[in-house]
Amino acid sequence: MKKCKNEFRKGVRWFSLLSFICIFLGTNFVYAQSQIKGKITDKDGKPLSNATIVVKGKPTATTSKEDGSYTISAKAGDVLFVSYIGFQNTEIKINGTTGQNIQLIAKTSSLDDVVVVGYGTVKKKDLTGSVSIVNVGDAKKVATYDVAKMLQGQAAGVSVQGSGEPGGYVAIKIRGISTFGDNSPLFVIDGVPVSAPFDFATDDIESIQVLKDASAAAIYGSRAATGVIIITTKKGKSSVPKITISSYAGVQNVPKKIPLLDRVQYQTVVSAAETNAGLSIAPANDPTSPYYVSTINTDWQKSALKTGLIQNHNVGVSGGTEALAYNLSVGYFDQTGYQAGPQKYDRYTLNSNITGKKGILSYGAKLAYTESHKGNYAATNGHAVFGGTVTSMLTAIPTMPIYDNTKLGGYGGTDQSINRAISANVIGINNLVTDYSNRNRVLANVWAELEIVKNLKYKINLSYDRTDYMNYHYEPKFDMGYYYINSQYYMYQQYGVSKTGLIENTLSYALKYKKHSLDMLAGLTYQKDDNQWMAATSQDTTTLVNTVFSAIANQGANTVSGQAGTATLYSTLGRINYNYDGRFLLTANFRRDGSSKFAPVNRYGNFMGFAGAWNLTNEKFLHLPSQITNLKLRLGYGTLGNQSSLGYYSWQSYINNGTNYLFNNSLAVGASTVSVTDPSLKWESTTTKNAALDLGLFNDKINLTAEYFERVSSDIITAIPIPLSVGSFPATLTTNAASVKNNGFEATIGYKKTDGKFKFNINANAYTLHNTVLKLGGTNNPIYGSGSKTEVGKEVGQLYGYQTEGLFQSVADVNKHAFQSALTAPGDVRFKAQNGKDNDPTYTITDGNDRVYLGSAIPKVYFGLNFDANYGNFDFSVFFQGNAGSKVFNAVYQSLMTGQYGNQHTDELNYWRASHTNTNVPRPMIGDPNGNNRFSDLFVESGTYVKLQNAQIGYTIPEKQLIKTHLFTRIRVYLSGQNLITIAKYKGYDPDFISDGLFSRGLDYGSFPNARTFMFGIQAGL
């Protein structure tokens, strides 16, 4: 860790030096020139303050004052370049006078905005593919360390699931499941493909585009089958040096408590369960026992859940000239957990971008550095924390103390004979067990573009992405009661490095002839990935004073392991954009990828995409109403490849040369194949189709996009079962076997009011998703997950279990029903026989015959809504997000309704007994011989929810007040709330939980609930 901090300090020193150099280069040098004075106004003569005025091609710049006035050194013939947010850029040639008033024209439409796509840009009005443009201003209102979490509800077709764990994993998918491997999209930051984008600060983001179909994403080939998210970070512009400050701090807590049993209620329920099982009452619950617990009543939620803190600070400096513009920033993010313990996530970031142009040469460079630390919860090596730290906290019994000075480690636990309960003390585990991950990452990129002849440009792009990480785990010896006794220390430490080098060469040409426009791109790329790690483990009965491997006296207790792998990707790519008179648009993309992950015979794959658009607005013969300012039809088709399911050498067999055998009392040396592989493995392919309508009304005050999409993934790589007689371990073959289809509708609508004192924007999006398995390979045997089933004709990971028909009310009911268990009795759950044999006592209900589909974990519709308003210097915004129509298996509730020794939900008090039969809660019984707690519809709930994800109110201090400071150009303060209201019928903490299992979906096993957050923030400019 000390080494990491030293490296960061070095980074800060370099950042400071680079900042000084860039600011020095951006300083306004004074030549023998005239002082040009004037005013910057809008068309109505209203002054515009803080407009940037630059002498084109020279290191001279200034900004306008509150009354719109400016003064700048220039001479006759120079060109002033003026820019202002929300207005069109303007160039004015100085005519020899010293007075130069400039009137700016407001942007009336966003269609001329430039959108970043693969290896280039295009105007929004010329888009042909399926591309979502994220409103970064709205997305940044979400307090998070991860750009993926920012996108929840912000773009149609993008689903995001996260949790409240500091630094926790965020699952993001675009248009559903298209592979049985990693379904995460490809992230491209400033032209560099990256993984794990959570390492980088969200403050530095300038724009986000989501490429959702092959016509838009095929240029990225094999890496784009699951979609592409393009992120552009802030760049410098020709201007005087500007400093920006962004900072917020807040508190976080769990917005909901689950009702649990207290001591008396717990003892009552467990005693009933033991009595029903014919057991004696546990001494801790028996008032007649000397071991009866009457003074301990631990509320584990109250004790374990605390107020967490979150803070984020970012300082940036930008400016420069056309020859050298810079943008530099440093940031710090910190989030402490809301569950008792030292666990937290913090991150230091540095990001720098330099761009420039000198004649026919354009150039740029990027350097980003990040250092992060993540503390992990309740991780134990030899003692399972059943259901995870959240579920274990809830099932911890109220008769167990938090602290016990008589036990090794000082934390309480249960006794096998007195309590009879295995109960994890998560507070003790969180504090005694040390488990954390450190990451240091450097992303470097340099590029240059040469205009060989007019409109013919050659560009070279070099990038290097390196992540060094260390995972550490240490468990001391401790005694936390029954099962949780550790008589040996355990230590594990892993060091690893992941490196990616990329070289890209592209050639582009733009041609215009009368009404024809043609943009062409061709390129060659080479990427190399290197990954390696080494780990050491130690376990012994001695006591460690210093928890480092060099301090271990018994070196024989140590073991070492490691792994290394290399993969390369060589690609050729091309694209053609054709535009005829702004009416007919055509895009064609092509990419050929060659990957070392495949055998030479199948190493290369060809991927292409086509899209066409008809801009009906520009068709004179249609005579569209004047209210329609944009009407465009789009069609797209293409194929994408995927190799994410493969390891480095999946097509190669391994030989075990230690399989010796005894022949005639003589040992013969032998070798055998460990596992069977398929050398004919080939690329997965995804074919996409989409049709869309873009509509703009009333000078684009209203914008609507409606789109239908279809994605069919074929040759999906998966493991199919093979006979045990083959001798392969495991008894499966990884091959191209499966096929999946995703289809649905997407809609986005927005309205903006930009005139008058009260201005506002409303943006909403919604989409549907339907998933169907077309093929599973071999004999199409179903794939069973935890409470789920995947089979042809159904969706991936659909909930699967038993249907219930209430409770047995009498012995006669039990005797005339299909057989469930020899100990089934009144008060037990009655499970439905699915073949009409409910009333046949000779028939036995089994997993193989009597489970059915219980619902879809995929919502019927996802949606998001943003509302932003401004009145004078005040601004206000709200963001709603949710989904509807999904089913969730609440495994947390299942764990709290077992009728066993763990703590229970208060609903368990309503259990069946002879004096209380009008209930759906089965009788508690230790051992649960009837399987009342099995996977059934008793624990399937609606996953529908609507959340007020964010609400914010801000105030911007008037400029006339800031002028008096002679320092600040802008100050905005705001109050913000996050995850404020959830409307749902869910009995768990939060229906918006992390559940990214492929074949086991929609299962809440105890995800950290998303925190409710209240923050204060400030944004300032100097």
Side-chain angles (χ1 to χ4, degrees):
M1 191 67 186
K2 184 177 180 181
K3 180 181 177 182
C4 295
K5 294 190 179 297
N6 288 335
E7 291 296 324
F8 181 74
R9 293 190 186 101
K10 290 180 182 178
V12 171
R13 287 197 293 268
W14 277 106
F15 168 75
S16 302
L17 177 60
L18 190 56
S19 299
F20 173 79
I21 293 172
C22 290
I23 293 171
F24 176 79
L25 291 173
T27 304
N28 295 334
F29 294 99
V30 179
Y31 300 90
Q33 303 176 38
S34 302
Q35 293 294 305
I36 306 300
K37 298 181 179 180
K39 255 190 175 184
I40 310 295
T41 63
D42 63 11
K43 66 176 184 178
D44 298 321
K46 180 182 177 181
L48 301 175
S49 61
N50 285 319
T52 299
I53 305 99
V54 178
V55 179
K56 197 171 181 182
K58 294 182 179 179
T60 308
T62 189
T63 56
S64 58
K65 298 179 180 178
E66 184 185 12
D67 61 357
S69 64
Y70 73 93
T71 301
I72 194 168
S73 298
K75 62 182 180 180
D78 283 345
V79 175
L80 298 184
F81 178 83
V82 186
S83 61
Y84 189 75
I85 296 175
F87 287 77
Q88 299 177 21
N89 295 335
T90 301
E91 292 186 2
I92 299 292
K93 188 173 183 179
I94 297 175
N95 55 18
T97 64
T98 57
Q100 196 75 56
N101 293 329
I102 301 172
Q103 189 180 86
L104 300 184
I105 306 299
K107 290 181 179 178
T108 58
S109 172
S110 62
L111 294 178
D112 287 323
D113 289 348
V114 174
V115 178
V116 179
V117 293
Y119 297 94
T121 60
V122 66
K123 287 186 177 181
K124 185 179 177 181
K125 66 181 180 182
D126 294 332
L127 279 173
T128 57
S130 183
V131 180
S132 286
I133 303 170
V134 177
N135 186 320
V136 173
D138 287 335
K140 282 187 176 182
K141 290 174 183 175
V142 176
T144 178
Y145 72 99
D146 194 339
V147 61
K149 184 65 173 177
M150 286 171 51
L151 296 177
Q152 187 174 34
Q154 301 291 347
V158 180
S159 66
V160 178
Q161 292 176 303
S163 73
E165 180 185 2
Y169 173 68
V170 177
I172 180 170
K173 295 182 181 66
I174 297 176
R175 290 182 172 176
I177 297 170
S178 56
T179 179
F180 289 172
D182 185 5
N183 281 274
S184 301
L186 170 70
F187 284 83
V188 179
I189 299 179
D190 292 332
V192 181
V194 301
S195 59
F198 58 80
D199 282 322
F200 305 103
T202 58
D203 295 270
D204 297 321
I205 296 174
E206 182 76 29
S207 69
I208 302 175
Q209 285 81 35
V210 183
L211 313 186
K212 298 182 288 188
D213 73 332
S215 67
I219 197 76
Y220 288 109
S222 64
R223 297 168 294 182
T226 50
V228 180
I229 296 176
I230 297 180
I231 298 172
T232 303
T233 61
K234 297 174 183 177
K235 305 294 190 299
K237 299 176 182 178
S238 297
S239 70
V240 295
K242 295 180 180 180
I243 297 174
T244 59
I245 300 171
S246 177
S247 181
Y248 65 75
V251 295
Q252 297 186 309
N253 54 44
V254 178
K256 177 182 178 180
K257 297 293 190 293
I258 293 177
L260 302 175
L261 303 182
D262 61 18
R263 176 186 65 82
V264 174
Q265 294 169 332
Y266 167 76
Q267 290 172 327
T268 300
V269 170
V270 173
S271 296
E274 289 177 314
T275 300
N276 288 335
L279 302 174
S280 63
I281 297 175
N285 303 327
D286 183 0
T288 65
S289 169
Y291 299 103
Y292 177 64
V293 176
S294 60
T295 59
I296 301 172
N297 188 16
T298 304
D299 183 336
W300 286 94
Q301 284 187 105
K302 182 178 180 181
S303 300
L305 298 178
K306 60 181 182 179
T307 298
L309 302 176
I310 186 171
Q311 59 178 318
N312 183 69
H313 312 285
N314 186 273
V315 179
V317 57
S318 64
T321 66
E322 185 180 16
L324 182 63
Y326 57 89
N327 187 289
L328 308 159
S329 70
V330 290
Y332 174 68
F333 179 89
D334 179 86
Q335 182 182 12
T336 60
Y338 52 65
Q339 191 182 74
Q343 287 74 16
K344 64 178 295 187
Y345 174 79
D346 59 46
R347 180 185 65 197
Y348 298 88
T349 58
L350 181 151
N351 186 63
S352 62
N353 284 306
I354 297 174
T355 57
K357 184 176 182 180
K358 200 78 171 177
I360 61 173
L361 181 65
S362 300
Y363 40 85
K366 176 186 182 67
L367 178 63
Y369 173 77
T370 180
E371 175 190 318
S372 63
H373 167 87
K374 179 183 182 297
N376 301 310
Y377 281 98
T380 56
N381 174 58
H383 309 88
V385 181
F386 299 102
T389 182
V390 173
T391 301
S392 288
M393 173 191 70
L394 296 173
T395 58
I397 63 175
T399 54
M400 178 176 68
I402 300 174
Y403 303 102
D404 187 343
N405 292 330
T406 66
K407 291 185 176 295
L408 180 63
Y411 288 92
T414 60
D415 184 274
Q416 182 175 1
S417 59
I418 296 175
N419 302 98
R420 299 179 184 169
I422 296 176
S423 189
N425 186 332
V426 294
I427 296 177
I429 294 174
N430 285 346
N431 284 280
L432 289 178
V433 177
T434 302
D435 192 290
Y436 62 83
S437 302
N438 290 337
R439 289 169 63 90
N440 294 299
R441 186 171 185 178
V442 174
L443 177 63
N445 170 241
V446 61
W447 61 270
E449 184 178 73
L450 180 68
E451 188 168 17
I452 302 171
V453 297
K454 186 177 181 181
N455 295 329
L456 177 63
K457 298 177 181 178
Y458 164 74
K459 183 176 181 179
I460 183 169
N461 184 56
L462 308 174
S463 68
Y464 179 72
D465 185 3
R466 176 178 176 130
T467 302
D468 292 270
Y469 60 90
M470 189 268 280
N471 298 316
Y472 179 83
H473 178 92
Y474 175 71
E475 291 179 40
K477 292 188 289 186
F478 56 75
D479 179 0
M480 283 186 280
Y482 182 23
Y483 179 72
Y484 293 101
I485 299 175
N486 199 31
S487 58
Q488 295 180 319
Y489 76 81
Y490 174 82
M491 185 163 61
Y492 172 85
Q493 193 165 7
Q494 179 192 41
Y495 286 93
V497 60
S498 174
K499 298 177 289 184
T500 298
L502 177 66
I503 303 174
E504 296 179 321
N505 292 274
T506 57
L507 197 65
S508 62
Y509 183 66
L511 175 66
K512 271 194 173 185
Y513 178 72
K514 295 183 179 180
K515 296 182 179 181
H516 303 273
S517 296
L518 189 65
D519 293 319
M520 294 174 286
L521 174 77
L524 298 172
T525 75
Y526 175 79
Q527 179 176 318
K528 182 179 180 181
D529 298 307
D530 286 301
N531 291 278
Q532 56 183 307
W533 58 263
M534 181 172 289
T537 303
S538 182
Q539 190 169 12
D540 198 16
T541 57
T542 59
T543 298
L544 287 184
V545 178
N546 298 309
T547 56
V548 293
F549 280 89
S550 60
I552 296 174
N554 180 15
Q555 290 295 312
N558 301 344
T559 59
V560 179
S561 60
Q563 183 175 304
T566 298
T568 57
L569 187 70
Y570 176 76
S571 309
T572 58
L573 59 91
R575 178 177 59 219
I576 295 176
N577 285 326
Y578 173 71
N579 183 331
Y580 176 72
D581 196 27
R583 291 185 289 160
F584 299 104
L585 308 167
L586 176 67
T587 298
N589 289 306
F590 173 80
R591 182 159 178 143
R592 178 175 171 83
D593 282 332
S595 171
S596 63
K597 291 185 177 182
F598 297 97
V601 66
N602 289 319
R603 184 149 292 171
Y604 286 89
N606 299 318
F607 314 105
M608 58 197 72
F610 305 93
W614 183 17
N615 193 339
L616 285 79
T617 315
N618 295 335
E619 292 289 2
K620 297 179 181 179
F621 73 90
L622 287 177
H623 304 293
L624 295 174
S626 60
Q627 292 87 350
I628 298 178
T629 49
N630 178 44
L631 181 61
K632 184 167 68 175
L633 297 175
R634 292 185 283 112
L635 293 173
Y637 174 85
T639 59
L640 299 163
N642 198 346
Q643 58 171 338
S644 66
S645 302
L646 290 179
Y648 290 124
Y649 316 107
S650 298
W651 61 276
Q652 293 180 322
S653 296
Y654 298 89
I655 302 296
N656 180 1
N657 58 8
T659 53
N660 303 330
Y661 196 79
L662 197 64
F663 287 101
N664 296 325
N665 295 322
S666 296
L667 186 66
V669 177
S672 65
T673 301
V674 178
S675 59
V676 175
T677 60
D678 181 5
S680 63
L681 276 170
K682 60 183 180 179
W683 293 89
E684 296 180 0
S685 65
T686 297
T687 301
T688 74
K689 304 173 185 176
N690 57 284
L693 169 71
D694 297 327
L695 176 65
L697 300 172
F698 306 108
N699 206 22
D700 290 330
K701 286 186 176 181
I702 299 177
N703 283 283
L704 169 69
T705 294
E707 183 164 354
Y708 171 78
F709 69 89
E710 181 179 293
R711 299 166 62 92
V712 177
S713 299
S714 304
D715 294 322
I716 293 177
I717 298 170
T718 187
I720 61 173
I722 57 177
L724 293 173
S725 58
V726 174
S728 175
F729 180 81
T732 58
L733 175 67
T734 299
T735 187
N736 299 94
S739 180
V740 172
K741 175 183 175 181
N742 293 280
N743 64 289
F745 290 92
E746 297 175 353
T748 301
I749 187 169
Y751 174 78
K752 58 185 178 183
K753 178 183 178 294
T754 57
D755 55 338
K757 285 188 175 181
F758 180 64
K759 302 177 178 66
F760 65 89
N761 294 293
I762 302 176
N763 293 288
N765 70 82
Y767 71 98
T768 65
L769 179 66
H770 182 68
N771 175 267
T772 307
V773 177
L774 304 178
K775 182 181 176 184
L776 285 173
T779 57
N780 284 320
N781 290 329
I783 299 173
Y784 292 92
S786 178
S788 66
K789 183 180 180 181
T790 299
E791 70 174 329
V792 173
K794 299 289 186 178
E795 68 186 45
V796 174
Q798 191 165 347
L799 298 178
Y800 190 72
Y802 288 92
Q803 280 183 305
T804 60
E805 299 179 308
L807 306 179
F808 291 113
Q809 297 296 330
S810 65
V811 174
D813 284 347
V814 175
N815 291 336
K816 69 182 181 182
H817 188 264
F819 182 78
Q820 295 183 180
S821 142
L823 295 178
T824 300
D828 282 330
V829 176
R830 175 175 175 155
F831 296 101
K832 180 177 176 59
Q834 296 301 324
N835 50 13
K837 295 190 176 183
D838 267 353
N839 298 319
D840 183 358
T842 65
Y843 176 78
T844 300
I845 291 178
T846 62
D847 284 356
N849 296 324
D850 298 296
R851 289 186 295 170
V852 295
Y853 288 104
L854 300 177
S856 171
I858 300 176
K860 289 183 170 61
V861 62
Y862 302 77
F863 54 84
L865 174 80
N866 281 287
F867 174 80
D868 303 275
N870 291 274
Y871 185 83
N873 291 330
F874 287 93
D875 61 86
F876 172 75
S877 66
V878 291
F879 169 46
F880 292 91
Q881 176 270 330
N883 62 56
S886 66
K887 294 296 183 180
V888 170
F889 186 82
N890 190 345
V892 174
Y893 186 66
Q894 180 192 34
S895 299
L896 293 172
M897 295 295 290
T898 61
Q900 303 301 299
Y901 283 115
N903 202 13
Q904 309 288 303
H905 194 283
T906 53
D907 286 354
E908 185 68 24
L909 294 171
N910 194 32
Y911 65 85
W912 189 97
R913 46 201 178 272
S915 60
H916 178 63
T917 61
N918 186 23
T919 178
N920 65 346
V921 179
R923 63 179 185 140
M925 183 174 179
I926 299 301
D928 189 17
N930 188 58
N932 293 328
N933 201 242
R934 71 183 73 175
F935 202 106
S936 74
D937 56 15
L938 287 178
F939 310 108
V940 175
E941 302 181 37
S942 170
T944 297
Y945 72 89
V946 178
K947 279 195 176 192
L948 176 55
Q949 285 280 25
N950 187 271
Q952 189 174 112
I953 184 169
Y955 178 74
T956 301
I957 298 176
E959 293 176 13
K960 62 182 178 181
Q961 301 296 329
L962 296 177
I963 290 176
K964 299 176 183 178
T965 67
H966 302 289
L967 179 63
F968 292 99
T969 58
R970 180 177 183 266
I971 295 179
R972 175 181 178 264
V973 294
Y974 64 90
L975 295 173
S976 179
Q978 195 164 303
N979 194 30
L980 295 173
I981 299 173
T982 299
I983 302 173
K985 296 180 180 179
Y986 187 58
K987 289 186 177 181
Y989 275 124
D990 191 346
D992 177 23
F993 56 85
I994 184 73
S995 175
D996 198 41
L998 179 63
F999 298 115
S1000 301
R1001 306 180 56 74
L1003 308 179
D1004 184 2
Y1005 280 111
S1007 172
F1008 273 82
N1010 290 289
R1012 177 178 292 161
T1013 306
F1014 297 96
M1015 300 184 304
F1016 170 78
I1018 183 170
Q1019 297 164 338
L1022 289 81

Short mmCIF file of all heavy atoms in Angstrom, two decimals, residues 395-419:
data_model
loop_
_atom_site.label_atom_id
_atom_site.label_comp_id
_atom_site.label_asym_id
_atom_site.label_seq_id
_atom_site.Cartn_x
_atom_site.Cartn_y
_atom_site.Cartn_z
N THR A 395 -30.64 -13.50 9.81
CA THR A 395 -30.96 -14.77 10.47
C THR A 395 -30.21 -14.96 11.79
O THR A 395 -30.42 -15.96 12.48
CB THR A 395 -30.64 -15.96 9.54
OG1 THR A 395 -29.26 -15.91 9.15
CG2 THR A 395 -31.51 -15.91 8.28
N ALA A 396 -29.32 -14.01 12.13
CA ALA A 396 -28.62 -14.09 13.42
C ALA A 396 -29.65 -14.05 14.55
O ALA A 396 -30.56 -13.22 14.56
CB ALA A 396 -27.63 -12.94 13.56
N ILE A 397 -29.50 -14.95 15.51
CA ILE A 397 -30.55 -15.09 16.53
C ILE A 397 -30.45 -13.98 17.57
O ILE A 397 -29.35 -13.53 17.92
CB ILE A 397 -30.48 -16.48 17.19
CG1 ILE A 397 -29.17 -16.68 17.94
CG2 ILE A 397 -30.67 -17.57 16.13
CD1 ILE A 397 -29.12 -18.00 18.71
N PRO A 398 -31.57 -13.52 18.10
CA PRO A 398 -31.55 -12.40 19.07
C PRO A 398 -31.00 -12.80 20.43
O PRO A 398 -30.69 -11.92 21.25
CB PRO A 398 -33.03 -12.00 19.16
CG PRO A 398 -33.78 -13.22 18.75
CD PRO A 398 -32.93 -13.92 17.73
N THR A 399 -30.86 -14.13 20.71
CA THR A 399 -30.31 -14.56 22.00
C THR A 399 -28.79 -14.72 21.95
O THR A 399 -28.21 -15.26 22.90
CB THR A 399 -30.96 -15.89 22.41
OG1 THR A 399 -30.80 -16.85 21.36
CG2 THR A 399 -32.44 -15.69 22.70
N MET A 400 -28.18 -14.29 20.87
CA MET A 400 -26.72 -14.32 20.76
C MET A 400 -26.18 -12.91 21.00
O MET A 400 -26.63 -11.96 20.36
CB MET A 400 -26.29 -14.82 19.38
CG MET A 400 -24.77 -14.83 19.17
SD MET A 400 -24.29 -15.54 17.57
CE MET A 400 -24.90 -14.29 16.41
N PRO A 401 -25.19 -12.74 21.90
CA PRO A 401 -24.64 -11.41 22.15
C PRO A 401 -23.69 -10.99 21.03
O PRO A 401 -23.10 -11.83 20.34
CB PRO A 401 -23.89 -11.58 23.47
CG PRO A 401 -23.46 -13.01 23.45
CD PRO A 401 -24.56 -13.77 22.76
N ILE A 402 -23.52 -9.69 20.86
CA ILE A 402 -22.56 -9.19 19.87
C ILE A 402 -21.15 -9.40 20.37
O ILE A 402 -20.27 -9.87 19.63
CB ILE A 402 -22.81 -7.69 19.59
CG1 ILE A 402 -24.22 -7.48 19.04
CG2 ILE A 402 -21.77 -7.16 18.61
CD1 ILE A 402 -24.59 -6.02 18.87
N TYR A 403 -20.92 -9.08 21.64
CA TYR A 403 -19.57 -9.16 22.20
C TYR A 403 -19.54 -10.17 23.34
O TYR A 403 -20.52 -10.36 24.06
CB TYR A 403 -19.13 -7.79 22.73
CG TYR A 403 -19.18 -6.70 21.69
CD1 TYR A 403 -20.24 -5.79 21.66
CD2 TYR A 403 -18.19 -6.59 20.72
CE1 TYR A 403 -20.30 -4.79 20.70
CE2 TYR A 403 -18.25 -5.60 19.75
CZ TYR A 403 -19.30 -4.70 19.74
OH TYR A 403 -19.36 -3.73 18.78
N ASP A 404 -18.38 -10.83 23.49
CA ASP A 404 -18.18 -11.77 24.58
C ASP A 404 -16.68 -11.82 24.87
O ASP A 404 -15.90 -12.43 24.12
CB ASP A 404 -18.70 -13.16 24.20
CG ASP A 404 -18.65 -14.14 25.37
OD1 ASP A 404 -17.93 -13.86 26.37
OD2 ASP A 404 -19.32 -15.18 25.30
N ASN A 405 -16.27 -11.16 25.94
CA ASN A 405 -14.84 -11.06 26.27
C ASN A 405 -14.23 -12.40 26.67
O ASN A 405 -13.00 -12.52 26.75
CB ASN A 405 -14.64 -10.04 27.39
CG ASN A 405 -14.94 -8.63 26.92
OD1 ASN A 405 -14.76 -8.31 25.75
ND2 ASN A 405 -15.44 -7.80 27.83
N THR A 406 -15.05 -13.39 26.94
CA THR A 406 -14.51 -14.69 27.33
C THR A 406 -14.11 -15.54 26.13
O THR A 406 -13.49 -16.59 26.29
CB THR A 406 -15.55 -15.48 28.16
OG1 THR A 406 -16.68 -15.80 27.33
CG2 THR A 406 -16.02 -14.66 29.35
N LYS A 407 -14.48 -15.10 24.95
CA LYS A 407 -14.17 -15.86 23.75
C LYS A 407 -12.99 -15.25 23.01
O LYS A 407 -12.78 -14.03 23.05
CB LYS A 407 -15.40 -15.92 22.82
CG LYS A 407 -16.55 -16.76 23.36
CD LYS A 407 -17.67 -16.87 22.34
CE LYS A 407 -18.78 -17.77 22.83
NZ LYS A 407 -18.34 -19.18 23.00
N LEU A 408 -12.24 -16.09 22.33
CA LEU A 408 -11.09 -15.64 21.56
C LEU A 408 -11.56 -14.71 20.43
O LEU A 408 -12.37 -15.10 19.60
CB LEU A 408 -10.35 -16.84 20.97
CG LEU A 408 -9.10 -16.54 20.13
CD1 LEU A 408 -8.03 -15.86 21.00
CD2 LEU A 408 -8.55 -17.83 19.51
N GLY A 409 -11.06 -13.50 20.45
CA GLY A 409 -11.49 -12.50 19.48
C GLY A 409 -12.42 -11.48 20.07
O GLY A 409 -12.54 -10.36 19.55
N GLY A 410 -13.13 -11.84 21.16
CA GLY A 410 -13.98 -10.88 21.87
C GLY A 410 -15.38 -10.73 21.34
O GLY A 410 -16.12 -9.84 21.79
N TYR A 411 -15.81 -11.60 20.42
CA TYR A 411 -17.16 -11.48 19.86
C TYR A 411 -17.99 -12.70 20.25
O TYR A 411 -17.48 -13.80 20.44
CB TYR A 411 -17.10 -11.34 18.34
CG TYR A 411 -16.60 -9.99 17.91
CD1 TYR A 411 -15.25 -9.78 17.67
CD2 TYR A 411 -17.47 -8.91 17.77
CE1 TYR A 411 -14.77 -8.53 17.29
CE2 TYR A 411 -17.00 -7.67 17.39
CZ TYR A 411 -15.65 -7.48 17.15
OH TYR A 411 -15.19 -6.23 16.79
N GLY A 412 -19.30 -12.46 20.35
CA GLY A 412 -20.21 -13.49 20.82
C GLY A 412 -20.51 -14.55 19.78
O GLY A 412 -20.28 -14.38 18.58
N GLY A 413 -21.06 -15.66 20.27
CA GLY A 413 -21.47 -16.76 19.39
C GLY A 413 -22.46 -17.64 20.11
O GLY A 413 -22.90 -17.35 21.23
N THR A 414 -22.84 -18.72 19.45
CA THR A 414 -23.81 -19.64 20.02
C THR A 414 -23.11 -20.89 20.54
O THR A 414 -21.94 -21.14 20.23
CB THR A 414 -24.86 -20.06 18.97
OG1 THR A 414 -24.19 -20.71 17.87
CG2 THR A 414 -25.61 -18.86 18.46
N ASP A 415 -23.86 -21.66 21.33
CA ASP A 415 -23.35 -22.92 21.87
C ASP A 415 -24.17 -24.06 21.26
O ASP A 415 -25.39 -23.99 21.19
CB ASP A 415 -23.48 -22.93 23.39
CG ASP A 415 -22.87 -24.18 23.99
OD1 ASP A 415 -23.60 -25.20 24.06
OD2 ASP A 415 -21.69 -24.15 24.38
N GLN A 416 -23.47 -25.11 20.82
CA GLN A 416 -24.13 -26.20 20.11
C GLN A 416 -25.22 -26.86 20.97
O GLN A 416 -26.28 -27.20 20.46
CB GLN A 416 -23.10 -27.25 19.69
CG GLN A 416 -23.68 -28.40 18.90
CD GLN A 416 -22.62 -29.36 18.38
OE1 GLN A 416 -21.44 -29.16 18.62
NE2 GLN A 416 -23.05 -30.40 17.69
N SER A 417 -24.96 -27.05 22.24
CA SER A 417 -25.93 -27.75 23.09
C SER A 417 -26.95 -26.81 23.72
O SER A 417 -28.07 -27.23 24.00
CB SER A 417 -25.20 -28.54 24.17
OG SER A 417 -24.40 -27.66 24.97
N ILE A 418 -26.57 -25.56 23.95
CA ILE A 418 -27.48 -24.63 24.63
C ILE A 418 -28.40 -23.93 23.64
O ILE A 418 -29.62 -23.86 23.84
CB ILE A 418 -26.68 -23.61 25.46
CG1 ILE A 418 -25.90 -24.32 26.57
CG2 ILE A 418 -27.59 -22.54 26.04
CD1 ILE A 418 -24.98 -23.43 27.37
N ASN A 419 -27.83 -23.38 22.57
CA ASN A 419 -28.64 -22.65 21.58
C ASN A 419 -29.09 -23.56 20.43
O ASN A 419 -30.16 -23.34 19.84
CB ASN A 419 -27.86 -21.48 20.98
CG ASN A 419 -27.38 -20.49 22.00
OD1 ASN A 419 -26.23 -20.55 22.43
ND2 ASN A 419 -28.25 -19.57 22.41
#
